[in-house]
Amino acid sequence: MKENINLNKFIKDLNLKKIFKELYPICRSITGKGFEQSLNILNSVSKLNKKKVRSGTKVLDWIIPEEWNIEDAYVKENGKKIINFKKHNLHIVNYSKKIDKIVSYNELIKHLHYLPKIPNAIPYVHSYYEKYWGFCLKYSQFKKINKKGKFKVKIDSSFKKGNLIYSDNLIPGKSKDEILIYTYLCHPQMANHELSGPLAWLTLYEIIKNTK
């Protein structure tokens, strides 16, 4: 394979559709179980160098935040879930704090995010450093919420001193110059914005590694 490579067969053998299906439903952030689970899936295809940076470490102009994990999140009205993290993990504001309470409509809407100009899209919102809770939903969904209702809001999340994990691989060549190909994996359930990058990186890495 070092001399010649059948590109179409090579890409097919990588089985990117299978990898995509495994990665797509995972709730990821810049830290936490979801990110590490996703990295492990990529690692099963191409062996990666995992490196960890502890929460609180200053890196250039930012500080690694605490590790965030989430088990469940929803908004209920009359016992029915009208926003449900388990249906789509973009519904939660990334890094939302734990909450379990009944709120009014006026209180709820302070914590809702939507896109009036794209009424059938769920926005991606995060709050890495400010302790906040919130939900994201389609604008078309928001317009149906009962303004006189009472709402059960629950977010089962946790913070802890943990690690940001990243990975790199080096393919030595004849030149001392270095070409950097990089991508990120931290955004949840967004195929074009997120998974296109890691899968393109994986493909390029395997092609370059297996050719002159």
Side-chain angles (χ1 to χ4, degrees), residues 150-168:
K150 292 288 184 181
F151 305 90
K152 163 80 170 177
V153 177
K154 183 167 184 178
I155 299 173
D156 182 10
S157 63
S158 62
F159 295 90
K160 69 174 184 177
K161 292 287 184 182
N163 298 286
L164 179 144
I165 304 174
Y166 71 98
S167 169
D168 61 11

Side-chain angles (χ1 to χ4, degrees), residues 125-141:
V125 181
H126 56 74
S127 183
Y128 299 140
Y129 296 103
E130 180 187 351
K131 286 293 188 283
Y132 171 76
W133 66 267
F135 288 85
C136 302
L137 68 165
K138 298 175 183 179
Y139 182 62
S140 57
Q141 186 181 3

